[in-house]
Amino acid sequence: MTTSAAALRQRRRRDRNWHPYALIAPAAILVLVFLLYPVASVFYYALQNYNVTLPIYNGFAGLDNFRAIAEDPLFWDSLAFTGRWVLVEVGLQFVCGLVLALLINQSFAGRAVVRALVFSPWAVAGILTTTIWMLIYNPSTGAGYYLAEMGLGSYGTSPLSGTTSTFWAVVLAELWRGAPFFAILILADLQSVPNDLYEAADVDGAGRLRKFVSITWPHIRRAVVIAALLRGVWEFNNVDLLYTLTGGGPGHATTTLPLYVAQTAIHKHDFGYGSALTVVAFLILAAVTVLYLRMTRLGREDT
């Protein structure tokens, strides 16, 4: 009787030990299938010559794709443009998002409507954003036509026709879509700041700038750091707006590294070289992310 009870307890204890693994098994399988397998396949094809239009040359390539990348001027040009694109976009989105958040955090009539208008670009799909801005930049029906009618420009010109003007045209379109993201996160933190702190600062005679530096910024700093990281990663990987608005042109003037990957893999069907470019982009993004987190000390403020 005693032996049977001990065996039953042991079996129950063994069953309890397996329960946690059984519960997380579906999630672990999904991660393996939909995350690790695609990543592993990209690393695999990065070491292969794999072009569906030239199957006779397919096979193991070793590090040849990476050596070709080091000598590829388009890779270096697209990488330089990607860095410029991310810095300009994230910087402008932060400034505009901060100003918008501070404004709509104030009490005024119609604040709910203004907030909805401020946040609405974030809900617009990328292809619709492109359509809106293509109409604005259209030389026959867009803003350029009406400026020419007022004598402020010439007919038939578009910001998307010149190398320098194209860059700022796509920056403005992406800024319109991305700034509300900063505004949403910063506004959420602004509403958690106790009014007692501002009232005490008023008693001490602190001005607006002093209250922002000593009260507001410490409360929103974490949200700004996280938002900048997320927007930086998203802008690095931005393909939809640039691809549909400029196609990476004129020439290769607005070709980011992910867009160059898409052009290589989809248009040229060179999946081996495209995979190698993806691996390089992944490593660069991972290294910059780690460096950024160490510089901002995110999550270590209280230690």
Side-chain angles (χ1 to χ4, degrees):
M1 184 66 181
T2 304
T3 303
S4 176
L8 181 60
R9 285 196 298 273
Q10 186 177 6
R11 189 175 66 183
R12 288 177 176 174
R13 191 181 304 113
R14 188 169 58 247
D15 290 342
R16 283 197 299 270
N17 291 338
W18 279 101
H19 283 167
Y21 299 103
L23 292 174
I24 66 172
I29 293 172
L30 289 175
V31 169
L32 286 173
V33 172
F34 294 106
L35 181 62
L36 294 184
Y37 172 72
V39 172
S41 67
V42 168
F43 277 83
Y44 169 77
Y45 283 111
L47 302 175
Q48 305 287 323
N49 283 322
Y50 188 74
N51 190 324
V52 293
T53 62
L54 298 169
I56 192 173
Y57 297 112
N58 291 348
F60 182 71
L63 299 177
D64 288 351
N65 287 327
F66 296 98
R67 295 191 187 97
I69 288 174
E71 300 172 356
D72 185 353
L74 279 180
F75 163 75
W76 294 108
D77 291 344
S78 63
L79 182 61
F81 176 77
T82 303
R84 181 185 174 201
W85 166 259
V86 172
L87 289 176
V88 172
E89 267 300 331
V90 176
L92 290 177
Q93 289 178 20
F94 161 65
V95 173
C96 294
L98 176 63
V99 172
L100 288 172
L102 292 173
L103 288 176
I104 60 179
N105 191 46
Q106 305 299 317
S107 298
F108 55 87
R111 184 174 67 171
V113 176
V114 174
R115 284 184 175 182
L117 292 175
V118 169
F119 297 153
S120 58
W122 178 245
V124 178
I127 188 65
L128 293 180
T129 301
T130 301
T131 303
I132 292 170
W133 285 94
M134 285 184 72
L135 290 173
I136 293 175
Y137 293 146
N138 189 302
S140 301
T141 59
Y145 172 80
Y146 295 102
L147 289 175
E149 285 284 299
M150 293 185 291
L152 300 177
S154 55
Y155 291 101
T157 59
S158 170
L160 299 178
S161 59
T163 303
T164 304
S165 60
T166 299
F167 173 74
W168 291 108
V170 292
V171 163
L172 181 61
E174 181 65 11
L175 177 63
W176 177 78
R177 183 174 67 165
F181 179 78
F182 270 98
I184 293 170
L185 291 188
I186 294 174
L187 178 64
D189 264 16
L190 281 176
Q191 295 185 331
S192 66
V193 181
N195 284 327
D196 295 347
L197 297 177
Y198 291 112
E199 293 172 358
D202 289 334
V203 172
D204 293 339
R208 289 180 179 272
L209 180 60
R210 183 62 180 172
K211 285 191 284 188
F212 176 81
V213 172
S214 300
I215 300 175
T216 305
W217 177 252
H219 278 83
I220 67 173
R221 179 183 175 277
R222 184 190 295 266
V224 171
V225 170
I226 294 174
L229 175 62
L230 292 176
R231 288 308 302 172
V233 173
W234 289 337
E235 294 303 343
F236 184 94
N237 292 314
N238 189 312
V239 171
D240 58 345
L241 184 133
L242 289 169
Y243 184 78
T244 52
L245 198 60
T246 69
H252 297 281
T254 57
T255 300
T256 58
L257 184 52
L259 186 55
Y260 184 39
V261 172
Q263 292 171 342
T264 302
I266 297 174
H267 294 170
K268 299 179 181 177
H269 308 292
D270 191 348
F271 293 98
Y273 193 66
S275 298
L277 288 170
T278 304
V279 170
V280 173
F282 170 78
L283 295 177
I284 292 173
L285 195 57
V288 172
T289 300
V290 171
L291 179 63
Y292 175 81
L293 292 175
R294 290 183 67 86
M295 290 176 61
T296 57
R297 298 179 60 83
L298 182 65
R300 292 186 294 175
E301 293 88 347
D302 301 328
T303 59

